[in-house]
Amino acid sequence: MNTGFHVKHNCFCLQHETSNLRPLHAQVGGHVGMKIFDDRYVCKPLNRRELQFYQAIPRQLSQLVPGFVGTLTNGNAEDGEEFYSNKSKNCSDSAGSQTSDYLVLENLTMGYKKPCVLDLKMGTRMYGDFASEAKRQSQKKKTVKTTSAKLGVRFCGSQRFSVSKNNFEKLDKYVGRKASETEFRDLLENFFNNNGFLRRDIISHVINKIRDMRESLLDLNQFRFYSSSLLIIYEGQHFSDSEAAGSFESEDSMDCDSFNATIRRQGSYESEDSMDCDSFNATMRSRKTSLAKIKIIDFANATMPGVFEDDLVHEGPDAGFLLGLENLQDILESLYEDEPRVRKP
């Protein structure tokens, strides 16, 4: 099956036979049905506001969110389904039409054999500036009853691979809505329990990522991530030491000459939207060395300066989101410092 791209009118178009969408089984939060395309991409039903957010994301935020590839038109184009890149002017215009159905994002679970996935709803406010009064009141009542009000974070769903059962254990958002602060901590502990012990290596890695994320968000004036989530992913399958080293510690990457030769040979990315060599190698290194991924997702209610004209101007960084990160870091640090004990795998 051909999985390549070809350039058409300054946009990337998918061959019809490659546009086979199937459900994203690793989805643990939200109410929107996500799809997988070609294993490499996640297709999310298109929200115009979220599309605008992804198209305008600044460089300092780009490493904290899933890679945005473009939009997918499903079944309404003359040549079948079409895919548009995220930077071309023509593509942006097409993405704004009524035929654009999906946002196309990188598949964050790609490369994981048994991805353990945690969705945490962040912040103390769950509605956008454009929300109706009824929506505002509904979300305020929901927030007050959950850990969101005090901690700025609540459990929104998870899947954890159980070695003993050889299957995934899933919990939904309703568990998080009922959870007290103590129960929220227990949910985090359970998520990081894998192969019969608490994955303190993963917890330590996530703590460092959260610390870096807090520093980055402190510099983002007037950004608000209302009702956005934090997605945490790690490998749940047991590896031998040698396998683990090959999966997570290798620094091998394609050199620039090989990279450019491959691009020329494939003819896959021939427009100004292509990834340069340095970016390619940085991406490959981050994929190989990361014990866990932690990304901010869901921007249908988010706002940033200079993009959404009717939104209010919010001075300073997002205090609610930062509160959630701070409390999450504190809880994870307390888990890390607990005495090790045998747990059910």
Side-chain angles (χ1 to χ4, degrees), residues 64-298:
L64 305 181
V65 305
F68 172 53
V69 184
T71 61
L72 179 70
T73 298
N74 185 19
N76 291 317
E78 292 181 0
D79 297 328
E81 299 173 356
E82 292 187 346
F83 171 78
Y84 300 103
S85 73
N86 61 336
K87 295 180 181 178
S88 167
K89 183 178 186 300
N90 289 342
C91 294
S92 296
D93 291 342
S94 298
S97 70
Q98 293 301 313
T99 58
S100 297
D101 298 320
Y102 293 99
L103 290 175
V104 182
L105 308 170
E106 69 168 311
N107 178 12
L108 295 173
T109 64
M110 184 178 177
Y112 290 90
K113 301 296 185 181
K114 302 294 183 183
C116 296
V117 183
L118 174 65
D119 187 317
L120 299 173
K121 186 71 71 175
M122 303 300 294
T124 56
R125 172 175 156 174
M126 303 300 158
Y127 56 87
D129 290 336
F130 53 88
S132 66
E133 185 59 29
K135 179 72 170 180
R136 290 168 182 254
Q137 294 303 319
S138 172
Q139 290 299 323
K140 286 179 180 179
K141 290 179 180 178
K142 187 183 298 181
T143 298
V144 169
K145 295 178 180 178
T146 68
T147 57
S148 294
K150 184 175 180 181
L151 299 181
V153 56
R154 78 167 181 259
F155 181 88
C156 201
S158 71
Q159 73 169 29
R160 183 189 72 91
F161 183 69
S162 170
V163 177
S164 60
K165 297 179 182 178
N166 194 33
N167 63 15
F168 285 103
E169 297 177 345
K170 291 195 174 188
L171 298 174
D172 61 26
K173 62 184 178 181
Y174 298 106
V175 174
R177 289 184 185 178
K178 299 176 182 178
S180 65
E181 292 180 39
T182 299
E183 290 168 338
F184 175 70
R185 186 184 189 278
D186 291 341
L187 287 167
L188 291 179
E189 182 177 12
N190 178 70
F191 173 72
F192 289 106
N193 172 34
N194 178 253
N195 285 297
F197 62 95
L198 188 67
R199 292 296 305 274
R200 298 171 78 249
D201 57 330
I202 300 295
I203 292 176
S204 177
H205 185 79
V206 171
I207 289 172
N208 289 331
K209 290 288 189 179
I210 291 174
R211 186 179 294 114
D212 293 341
M213 182 177 288
R214 289 174 62 188
E215 292 181 2
S216 296
L217 295 186
L218 280 170
D219 294 331
L220 290 178
N221 184 40
Q222 299 181 2
F223 281 72
R224 293 297 181 270
F225 303 96
Y226 299 134
S227 200
S228 294
S229 287
L230 199 66
L231 200 68
I232 300 174
I233 304 170
Y234 74 87
E235 178 60 70
Q237 178 170 301
H238 176 71
F239 292 106
S240 65
D241 291 341
S242 59
E243 288 175 321
S247 299
F248 300 113
E249 296 176 7
S250 172
E251 292 293 336
D252 293 338
S253 62
M254 188 183 296
D255 60 37
C256 289
D257 290 340
S258 298
F259 173 82
N260 290 328
T262 300
I263 294 301
R264 287 193 298 270
R265 183 172 62 254
Q266 293 179 345
S268 299
Y269 296 96
E270 298 178 351
S271 80
E272 62 183 9
D273 297 338
S274 62
M275 181 184 295
D276 60 30
C277 179
D278 290 340
S279 298
F280 174 84
N281 281 334
T283 299
M284 293 304 294
R285 284 195 299 270
S286 66
R287 286 179 179 175
K288 285 181 177 292
T289 59
S290 180
L291 284 174
K293 293 179 181 178
I294 172 170
K295 300 286 184 178
I296 306 172
I297 61 171
D298 298 338

Side-chain angles (χ1 to χ4, degrees), residues 48-61:
R48 306 291 172 187
R49 187 181 180 91
E50 188 166 27
L51 172 61
Q52 285 181 274
F53 190 92
Y54 270 111
Q55 289 174 327
I57 280 178
R59 181 179 298 272
Q60 62 265 42
L61 184 58

